[in-house]
Amino acid sequence: MKTKFLLFLISLFAFSAINSQTFTPTEIELTGLHFSLIEWADFNADGNMDLIISGVNNSNSEELFLYQNNGDNTISEVMIPAPALYYGDIAWGNFDNDKDIDFIMMGLTTDGNEFSMLYENTDGNSFQENSLSLPMRSVGSCSFVDFNNDGFLDIFLSGNTGQTNSVHLFKNNGDKTFTQIQTPFVGLSRSSVKWSDFDNDGDFDIFISGEQDDNQGYIANLYTNNGDGTFKLDENSFTKFCNGNAGWGDYNNDGYDDLIITGQSDNETFICELYKNNGNGTFSIQTTDFTGLAYSTIDWGDFDNDGDLDILQTGCNLA
């Protein structure tokens, strides 16, 4: 019998030679967490990036931390009225256009219940719950996006209710209230959601992947924004996957966002695939030596400042 091992990997891929860039660990100590949610933002507008992180510690207890960056290589913990969550997501965004940044979080609570909440930054240093009644979800994704170009950030939420999967898009009315709108999106959990104006027509389109209800399998769908508050399923085909992540980035500097995906495919293999945007509404899969990973995260950034995007990928490799 073949023995299978899960290996946790962190990979950095550069599209050109790495010019002796190195990384040095800091002396800042953070609590180790797994099944975690994590996101950077300058929540107090002091010019330094702060960090929110929530998950399960080594003692199998849930913890939530908001760390304020003091600007001198030290951090301070900030208390906020939010529960510790795991198996979820966190997103920052200034939904009320008041010059400070708010956040939305979703996931499982200590009691194992689904939870979703929008938190409003009240004075640059403290937060309170917003009156928006969000569906309680976990094992999904949340994000802010101005999908209708009205100058106000809208909210996307996907995940599991404990029984079924669902997807929701809430239009920001501009007065701290929201209206849910109808979409063609398929209900998903173990999902990844990424927005991009991939066709350069001035509005945000959406790539959604994840697992459907009732053993209907995985999907990887691209929806085009019609510019009138509606979306249409695009004809491009991508490998269907869940337990992973996707990222948009213009790796070849041609002015069009390309797509990279990583996760567990519908035939249970682990993948990492790069799709080149051809600039005419179509995509072409590229040949790479990227490691296929699941339970994974991937992101773009020009870490070596050479003018092109590199990739950071983490996750599990089935060996």
Side-chain angles (χ1 to χ4, degrees):
M1 177 182 295
K2 182 179 179 181
T3 302
K4 296 182 178 179
F5 299 93
L6 282 176
L7 304 177
F8 288 87
L9 298 180
I10 300 177
S11 302
L12 179 63
F13 302 105
F15 281 97
S16 60
I18 298 177
N19 300 319
S20 68
Q21 269 69 25
T22 60
F23 294 85
T24 303
T26 72
E27 297 181 357
I28 298 174
E29 294 186 3
L30 303 177
T31 300
L33 300 174
H34 60 282
F35 305 137
S36 53
L37 342 173
I38 185 169
E39 195 65 54
W40 293 93
D42 181 12
F43 79 88
N44 55 359
D46 65 353
N48 299 307
M49 295 297 287
D50 312 296
L51 180 67
I52 191 169
I53 181 170
S54 181
V56 180
N57 63 25
N58 291 331
S59 300
N60 287 323
S61 297
E62 294 77 18
E63 292 191 90
L64 168 71
F65 301 99
L66 175 59
Y67 294 110
Q68 175 182 302
N69 185 338
N70 299 320
D72 58 0
N73 291 321
T74 66
I75 57 174
S76 300
E77 185 178 350
V78 178
M79 304 306 296
I80 54 176
L85 301 179
Y86 64 102
Y87 281 145
D89 199 12
I90 294 178
W92 293 92
N94 183 14
F95 82 92
D96 50 6
N97 290 352
D98 64 350
K99 298 183 181 180
D100 50 39
I101 195 166
D102 317 290
F103 72 94
I104 183 174
M105 64 188 306
M106 54 87 69
L108 286 176
T109 66
T110 301
D111 298 327
N113 296 319
E114 289 75 23
F115 180 89
S116 306
M117 184 63 64
L118 173 62
Y119 290 92
E120 180 181 345
N121 191 332
T122 57
D123 59 5
N125 290 288
S126 58
F127 295 85
Q128 67 181 16
E129 293 182 1
N130 181 267
S131 60
L132 173 63
S133 179
L134 288 171
M136 298 301 173
R137 299 292 181 268
S138 66
V139 199
S141 301
C142 60
S143 60
F144 287 102
V145 64
D146 183 10
F147 79 91
N148 56 354
N149 286 333
D150 65 352
F152 291 94
L153 290 179
D154 312 296
I155 290 176
F156 177 92
L157 180 69
S158 69
N160 188 270
T161 68
Q163 295 180 330
T164 61
N165 299 328
S166 64
V167 169
H168 306 271
L169 182 60
F170 294 90
K171 176 184 173 293
N172 190 331
N173 299 319
D175 57 1
K176 297 188 180 182
T177 68
F178 292 80
T179 301
Q180 185 171 348
I181 68 168
Q182 296 298 313
T183 71
F185 307 152
V186 177
L188 298 172
S189 64
R190 299 197 287 166
S191 52
S192 176
V193 176
K194 297 296 179 180
W195 297 87
S196 169
D197 182 15
F198 82 93
D199 50 7
N200 288 352
D201 66 350
D203 47 39
F204 281 103
D205 314 295
I206 183 171
F207 177 82
I208 306 177
S209 66
E211 182 179 33
Q212 303 179 81
D213 278 328
D214 302 324
N215 298 316
Q216 296 181 56
Y218 308 156
I219 70 164
N221 290 344
L222 178 61
Y223 294 91
T224 301
N225 189 330
N226 296 320
D228 58 1
T230 65
F231 294 83
K232 178 181 67 175
L233 179 62
D234 187 82
E235 295 180 355
N236 280 286
S237 178
F238 307 91
T239 298
K240 301 173 183 179
F241 72 99
C242 72
N243 290 332
N245 200 240
W248 292 99
D250 182 12
Y251 81 91
N252 55 355
N253 290 330
D254 66 352
Y256 290 91
D257 276 353
D258 311 294
L259 181 68
I260 192 165
I261 62 174
T262 176
Q264 181 179 341
S265 73
D266 53 358
N267 62 6
E268 304 305 318
T269 60
F270 291 1
I271 63 167
C272 184
E273 296 177 348
L274 176 63
Y275 292 86
K276 176 182 175 291
N277 187 335
N278 298 318
N280 59 1
T282 67
F283 290 81
S284 300
I285 191 169
Q286 304 298 293
T287 301
T288 70
D289 58 358
F290 301 156
T291 302
L293 300 178
Y295 304 100
S296 46
T297 298
I298 199 161
D299 207 355
W300 297 90
D302 183 13
F303 90 99
D304 50 4
N305 290 332
D306 66 350
D308 49 39
L309 291 179
D310 313 299
I311 300 169
L312 178 65
Q313 180 193 21
T314 69
C316 295
N317 176 28
L318 189 60

